[in-house]
C-alpha cells in the first residue's frame, strides 16, 4: 500500500493530478482542522473525514453515492445535445472521480436521480433482476379510465420491444385543488427508453408531466428542491446494495 499523503488524498477526490494537487497545497489553499497545511507530502495513517480546499469543507470519501432532484430541461449525459448536463449541477471534482447516473431520466422528466462512481452499485440498481420498482408520478392529457388502468396492469406491448411490460402498481392521487389535474402514481420494474410515456401512449393517453418519486426503498428527498443534491445515507446505500 502506498503511503497516504495529502497530495494522494486530494487527487483521489478529484482535485487533479498529484502534481496539480501539490501545487494547490503549496499555494496555501488547503487547511486541516483550521490550519493551512503547506506540505503536500504530509502523511496520514487514516484519511481525515474532511479537508478544506479553497475555503470549502470537502468530505474525503472516494466512493460517491448521490441523490439528485433532477430539474426539467437537464440531460443525463456528459455530452448533452440541447440542454445543460446533470453533471454541471454537481461539483466538477465528481466528474473527475468518475460519477455516472444510475439509469436515466429524460430531459422533460424530473425527480429522483441516483448517481455513483461504483460500477457494481450502478449495475445492481439498474438490473431488472434485482427487481427494484421505480415509482413515477404522472399527469395526463386525457382522463385516466378504468380500462386504461386495467390494460396497464395486464401488460402492454411497446413498439420495438420483444416482451410485454406491465405496471406493477397504479394509484390515482386526486388533485388538491379544483383546477388541478389528478396525478397517477405508477410503478414499473424495467427502465426501457421512455417506458412510462410509451406505456400510457399504448393505452391511448398522453403523459404531460413525469416525476420519479422512488427507486426501491429510496424515496426522493423533497427538502432538496429541484436541482438540489445530497449524499445518500449509509442506510440508503445498504438498502440498495
Ligand atoms: N419513463 C419515461 O418515459 N421517461 C423517463 O424519464 C423515465 C421513465
Amino acid at each position: 500500500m502506498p503511503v497516504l499523503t495529502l497530495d494522494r488524498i486530494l487527487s483521489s477526490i478529484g482535485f487533479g493530478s498529484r502534481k496539480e494537487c501539490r501545487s494547490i497545497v503549496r499555494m496555501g489553499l488547503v487547511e486541516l482542522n483550521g490550519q493551512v497545511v503547506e506540505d503536500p507530502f504530509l502523511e496520514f495513517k487514516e484519511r481525515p473525514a474532511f479537508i478544506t480546499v479553497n475555503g470549502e469543507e470537502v468530505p474525503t470519501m472516494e466512493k460517491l453515492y448521490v441523490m439528485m432532484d433532477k430539474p426539467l430541461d437537464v440531460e443525463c449525459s456528459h455530452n448533452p445535445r440541447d440542454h445543460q448536463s446533470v453533471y454541471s449541477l454537481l461539483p466538477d471534482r465528481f466528474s473527475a472521480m468518475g460519477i455516472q447516473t444510475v439509469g436515466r431520466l429524460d430531459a422533460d422528466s424530473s425527480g429522483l436521480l441516483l448517481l455513483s462512481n461504483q460500477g457494481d452499485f450502478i449495475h445492481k440498481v439498474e438490473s431488472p433482476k434485482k427487481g427494484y420498482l421505480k415509482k413515477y408520478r404522472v399527469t395526463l392529457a386525457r382522463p385516466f379510465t378504468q380500462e386504461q388502468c386495467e390494460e396497464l396492469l395486464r401488460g402492454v406491448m411497446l413498439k420495438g420491444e420483444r416482451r410485454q411490460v406491465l405496471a406493477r402498481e397504479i394509484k390515482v392521487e386526486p388533485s388538491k385543488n379544483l383546477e388541478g389535474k389528478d396525478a397517477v402514481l405508477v410503478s414499473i420494474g424495467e427502465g426501457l427508453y421512455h417506458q412510462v410515456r410509451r406505456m400510457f401512449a399504448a393505452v391511448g393517453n398522453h403523459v404531460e408531466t413525469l416525476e420519479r418519486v422512488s427507486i426501491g426503498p429510496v424515496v426522493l428527498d423533497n427538502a432538496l428542491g429541484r436541482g438540489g443534491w445530497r449524499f445518500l445515507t449509509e442506510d440508503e446505500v445498504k438498502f440498495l446494495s
Side-chain angles (χ1 to χ4, degrees):
M1 270 278 274
V3 181
L4 193 56
T5 51
L6 185 55
D7 64 337
R8 275 189 209 278
I9 297 176
L10 289 170
S11 185
S12 74
I13 56 171
F15 283 101
S17 65
R18 286 182 60 201
K19 189 168 167 210
E20 284 161 342
C21 291
R22 290 198 282 272
S23 60
I24 295 174
V25 176
R26 289 191 181 113
M27 282 157 75
L29 297 176
V30 177
E31 291 169 48
L32 274 169
N33 306 320
Q35 302 283 316
V36 173
V37 185
E38 280 171 354
D39 176 9
F41 299 110
L42 183 67
E43 292 182 12
F44 296 83
K45 283 212 186 75
E46 289 177 3
R47 283 176 176 255
F50 293 94
I51 296 182
T52 301
V53 183
N54 221 355
E56 188 196 343
E57 194 176 54
V58 175
T60 62
M61 70 273 198
E62 288 177 281
K63 296 183 180 180
L64 297 175
Y65 304 99
V66 166
M67 162 191 299
M68 179 188 285
D69 185 346
K70 179 194 166 299
L72 296 174
D73 299 332
V74 171
E75 290 181 33
C76 289
S77 165
H78 283 285
N79 302 302
R81 277 205 323 211
D82 302 314
H83 304 283
Q84 71 179 125
S85 158
V86 285
Y87 301 103
S88 70
L89 302 175
L90 295 168
D92 287 345
R93 63 186 193 86
F94 287 4
S95 291
M97 292 171 76
I99 200 164
Q100 302 285 338
T101 62
V102 180
R104 289 181 171 221
L105 278 176
D106 309 329
D108 46 4
S109 302
S110 60
L112 177 62
L113 182 67
L114 300 179
L115 303 103
S116 175
N117 63 350
Q118 298 300 300
D120 50 350
F121 175 85
I122 296 175
H123 182 71
K124 259 188 217 153
V125 179
E126 282 181 350
S127 163
K129 280 198 202 120
K130 191 80 189 173
Y132 289 124
L133 290 189
K134 290 166 271 272
K135 189 184 278 184
Y136 298 86
R137 179 181 288 112
V138 300
T139 57
L140 300 169
R142 294 182 268 285
F144 185 50
T145 65
Q146 186 63 27
E147 291 73 42
Q148 290 172 3
C149 182
E150 283 165 13
E151 217 180 323
L152 287 172
L153 288 167
R154 264 198 315 273
V156 289
M157 199 67 207
L158 303 180
K159 208 168 154 208
E161 306 296 342
R162 294 226 219 110
R163 282 187 210 94
Q164 281 205 330
V165 284
L166 50 83
R168 305 292 192 83
E169 247 179 53
I170 295 183
K171 206 175 135 205
V172 176
E173 230 182 28
S175 161
K176 293 196 180 82
N177 57 63
L178 280 177
E179 295 92 62
K181 290 196 172 192
D182 294 349
V184 177
L185 286 169
V186 56
S187 300
I188 57 170
E190 314 79 4
L192 303 176
Y193 177 69
H194 284 183
Q195 183 170 336
V196 174
R197 291 174 201 280
R198 287 160 72 206
M199 286 173 74
F200 279 91
V203 297
N205 214 316
H206 175 77
V207 170
E208 283 188 337
T209 66
L210 188 155
E211 176 194 24
R212 182 154 58 202
V213 290
S214 62
I215 298 176
V218 173
V219 178
L220 177 64
D221 182 344
N222 287 316
L224 294 175
R226 292 279 187 246
W229 66 272
R230 67 162 169 80
F231 292 110
L232 292 184
T233 63
E234 269 177 38
D235 274 349
E236 286 169 332
V237 175
K238 216 180 321 153
F239 293 153
L240 286 171
S241 300

